[in-house]
Amino acid sequence: VQLQASGGGLVQAGGSLRLSCAASGRMFSNYGMGWFRQVPGKEREFVAAIVWSGAITYYVDSVKGRFTISRDNAKNTVYLQMTSLKPEDTAVYYCAVTRGYTGNFALRAYDYWGQGTQVTVSS
């Protein structure tokens, strides 16, 4: 599985962005997907995840009500719609695939990673 993240950029606080993650491989629809983010000097942290069917989603508390994860299995793509962005959302965002339990948010639970896309929120 190869993942290509896109959609990052510079936005003012209160603005919105939609990240996309396109996956190669025919098994995409069988796997859970997640978004993580990382700022320099800090550990990569979980942001959101979605099960293979799209029926169940998970979010870190700090983004609940502002971010929405979704997927289109026909397009092998997962999305992260981000609204009401804050400066503290500034990070490199990574998408990842897990072949295990989607409710496990640990980094080691994810098997494949994209290259990351930069999101910068100005105040």
Side-chain angles (χ1 to χ4, degrees), residues 9 11-17 19 36-39 45 47 60-64 66-67 80 82-93 117-122:
V11 64
Q12 289 188 332
S16 300
L17 281 174
L19 305 183
F36 293 74
R37 63 188 180 187
Q38 188 170 23
V39 298
E45 67 168 358
V47 175
V60 67
D61 286 347
S62 60
V63 308
K64 284 181 180 177
R66 299 189 299 121
F67 291 11
L80 186 67
M82 305 185 295
T83 64
S84 301
L85 282 161
K86 304 176 181 180
E88 51 264 43
D89 294 318
T90 295
V92 177
Y93 283 71
T117 184
Q118 176 71 48
V119 172
T120 303
V121 184
S122 62

Side-chain angles (χ1 to χ4, degrees), residues 23-111:
S24 64
R26 57 184 177 175
M27 301 301 289
F28 170 82
S29 60
N30 291 357
Y31 300 148
M33 299 289 297
W35 285 97
F36 293 74
R37 63 188 180 187
Q38 188 170 23
V39 298
K42 292 190 176 182
E43 292 186 355
R44 192 171 298 185
E45 67 168 358
F46 168 80
V47 175
I50 187 166
V51 300
W52 68 273
S53 66
I56 301 173
T57 57
Y58 305 89
Y59 299 93
V60 67
D61 286 347
S62 60
V63 308
K64 284 181 180 177
R66 299 189 299 121
F67 291 11
T68 303
I69 188 171
S70 61
R71 66 191 296 163
D72 184 341
N73 287 341
K75 295 182 178 179
N76 277 12
T77 302
V78 64
Y79 305 97
L80 186 67
Q81 179 68 50
M82 305 185 295
T83 64
S84 301
L85 282 161
K86 304 176 181 180
E88 51 264 43
D89 294 318
T90 295
V92 177
Y93 283 71
Y94 298 88
C95 58
V97 172
T98 177
R99 295 177 293 178
Y101 173 50
T102 309
N104 183 353
F105 309 143
L107 297 181
R108 63 182 180 275
Y110 282 77
D111 304 287

